[in-house]
Amino acid sequence: MTSCKIIYGTAWKKERTTALVVCAVLNGFRAIDTAAQPKHYREDLVGEALRLLQEKHGIRREDLFIQTKYTTLSGQDRSRPLPYNSRDDIATQIETSVQTSMRNLHTTYLDSLLLHSPFGRLEDTITAWRVLIKLQNAGTVKIIGVSNTYDVNIIEMLEKQTGRPVQVVQNRWYEGNQWDPEVCSYCRKRGIQYQSFWTLSGSPTLLAHPCLRLIARERNCTPAQALFRLAQSHGIMPLSGTTNEQHMKEDIETEKISLKEELQSTGRLSSAAQEINNLLWGS
């Protein structure tokens, strides 16, 4: 598992991907998320950023945590070049997609590989999971997981049917799904790395909450930093997709913010933290 506390998300960056990834890493990010899905990602331009970071800035591939995804046909735009042959079986599609990703990213291994979403049929998802296990056993991939998976039964069934537990879950964590309580709680209890996206953009009411703003004022940070830090304190690794360099710096600084007093002591500030905790985790 990565020791990073925050990951830079590259979705929707299009032709700006290379410059933004370089900027993010130079400002302290050491984990990068992408996908073999030309519809929403430019994985090839992430790879170009990795090349520039090594050649011009001396930041080695092994100093970074690189995560990508296999995306099913239902999540692809078929008008764009696919990372695999759509007529191939699931196993071949995944293996081809991974080879495409490694070429795009100029690497011989992946730190993390996720199924971008479950298949429509559970048996197909299990078949795909077995392929990820094979890639992990071969050393091609270090850790494996799933994204956009909001049913704990699917996560449990993957382990039950294959003997290999899910190691990463990446889900929307926002107001619209009440912060994914069932899956998030399951991951915390099982030691599964839970990565959150839509953490800020999906929760405007939370960011404006008086209690969160009180914590931010008292800790001399932004509400966004306060929310990221609260998430991190509960084992959640948020994705940041910011295109603003100042926000990149603030996101990296989040890890240094101490909330120990708020979470453990009594008083107005700790009451505010407890109210936010109750809202997010029911505790």
Side-chain angles (χ1 to χ4, degrees), residues 96-280:
T96 304
S97 181
V98 168
Q99 290 301 316
T100 300
S101 291
M102 291 196 296
R103 284 197 303 273
N104 283 340
L105 298 168
H106 308 297
T107 185
T108 57
Y109 69 95
L110 299 170
D111 295 287
S112 178
L113 176 67
L114 310 182
L115 297 179
H116 210 158
S117 66
F119 286 78
R121 301 192 313 159
L122 178 59
E123 49 265 51
D124 289 338
T125 305
I126 293 170
T127 295
W129 188 245
R130 292 187 188 279
V131 181
L132 266 61
I133 291 171
K134 177 183 175 183
L135 291 165
Q136 187 177 42
N137 288 343
T140 305
V141 178
K142 292 187 177 181
I143 60 176
I144 55 178
V146 294
S147 184
N148 295 295
T149 305
Y150 301 92
D151 184 349
V152 167
N153 292 325
I154 292 176
I155 300 170
E156 290 182 326
M157 191 58 66
L158 291 177
E159 180 176 2
K160 182 178 179 181
Q161 293 294 319
T162 67
R164 186 68 55 86
V166 170
Q167 293 141 35
V168 183
V169 171
Q170 183 188 103
N171 276 356
R172 293 178 181 87
W173 189 75
Y174 74 122
E175 294 173 7
N177 65 3
Q178 289 76 53
W179 298 282
D180 197 20
E182 186 179 4
V183 174
C184 190
S185 176
Y186 180 84
C187 289
R188 289 170 65 193
K189 290 175 182 176
R190 297 294 303 273
I192 299 169
Q193 182 184 100
Y194 185 97
Q195 299 175 0
S196 67
F197 65 99
W198 285 17
T199 311
L200 302 182
S201 58
S203 298
T205 303
L206 179 58
L207 286 170
H209 196 290
C211 290
L212 187 71
R213 289 188 171 271
L214 173 61
I215 294 170
R217 286 197 301 273
E218 292 294 328
R219 283 290 165 258
N220 194 30
C221 66
T222 68
Q225 286 178 302
L227 177 52
F228 274 162
R229 190 68 190 112
L230 280 166
Q232 290 170 341
S233 71
H234 284 79
I236 293 173
M237 182 179 180
L239 271 74
S240 168
T242 184
T243 59
N244 181 295
E245 185 172 5
Q246 180 58 36
H247 291 167
M248 291 177 183
K249 294 175 181 177
E250 291 171 356
D251 292 346
I252 292 300
E253 290 296 312
T254 293
E255 187 178 348
K256 299 177 182 178
I257 298 170
S258 173
L259 294 180
K260 186 175 181 180
E261 293 179 19
E262 288 86 332
L263 297 174
Q264 295 181 354
S265 64
T266 60
R268 180 165 169 257
L269 198 55
S270 89
S271 295
Q274 189 60 50
E275 184 169 339
I276 296 297
N277 279 345
N278 288 339
L279 182 63
L280 296 176

